[in-house]
Amino acid sequence: MSSVFNVFNISSSAMTAQSIRLNTVASNLANVDSIIDETGQPYRSKQVVFQAVPTTTDTTNVSRGVRVNQIVESAAPPRLVYEPNNPAANADGYVEYPNVNVVEEMTNMISSSRSYQSNVEVMNTAKNLVTSTLQIGQA
């Protein structure tokens, strides 16, 4: 029965991690045309880094969940757009826009959404198995 509860722990950790990933993607997409962020610096795309972590302290039966290890800024160069009349333009007339790739972000959003939904299905299946087991025990 403890293995069923491990399924809940693993799926819930994945759902939490994917939720953070979705929020990060949403932030990137919201700032696709932002010249500066809240600190006054050019906005940089952010990516989520996952890490596998044990879900139990039992060393004989190690199952692993996932957590967000960190959120890192992309090292990709900014997108330069020629806008000489823009007050944020440099001496050459270019404005540095965020290095957010909309296609990549939409792909991340779809991937994250599907992963989240898959983990919801895993939890529902585990719940149904536990419920069926309890009903068999009552009969």
Side-chain angles (χ1 to χ4, degrees):
M1 192 63 133
S2 69
S3 63
V4 173
F5 292 115
N6 281 343
V7 169
F8 288 119
N9 290 336
I10 293 167
S11 288
S12 68
S13 72
M15 290 169 62
T16 300
Q18 292 300 336
S19 177
I20 293 170
R21 182 178 176 204
L22 277 170
N23 286 334
T24 303
V25 168
S27 177
N28 287 342
L29 289 171
N31 287 292
V32 73
D33 288 326
S34 299
I35 297 172
I36 57 172
D37 65 9
E38 64 277 357
T39 65
Q41 299 298 315
Y43 181 84
R44 301 201 58 86
S45 175
K46 293 166 182 53
Q47 302 298 320
V48 176
V49 178
F50 295 124
Q51 177 183 14
V53 293
T55 58
T56 63
T57 56
D58 179 8
T59 57
T60 60
N61 183 17
V62 178
S63 56
R64 299 212 178 259
V66 65
R67 74 176 174 100
V68 172
N69 187 30
Q70 61 182 338
I71 298 175
V72 296
E73 288 187 348
S74 170
R79 182 172 41 104
L80 295 176
V81 178
Y82 185 69
E83 294 179 352
N85 295 330
N86 189 321
N90 63 17
D92 296 326
Y94 287 94
V95 177
E96 289 186 3
Y97 280 94
N99 57 356
V100 176
N101 181 327
V102 175
V103 174
E104 183 179 308
E105 295 301 327
M106 293 300 290
T107 303
N108 283 337
M109 183 176 61
I110 292 168
S111 171
S112 185
S113 296
R114 288 186 178 164
S115 179
Y116 188 93
Q117 183 60 39
S118 295
N119 281 288
V120 168
E121 292 298 322
V122 167
M123 289 186 84
N124 284 335
T125 301
K127 183 185 84 170
N128 289 338
L129 288 171
V130 169
T131 303
S132 296
T133 302
L134 291 173
Q135 288 173 349
I136 290 171
Q138 290 176 348

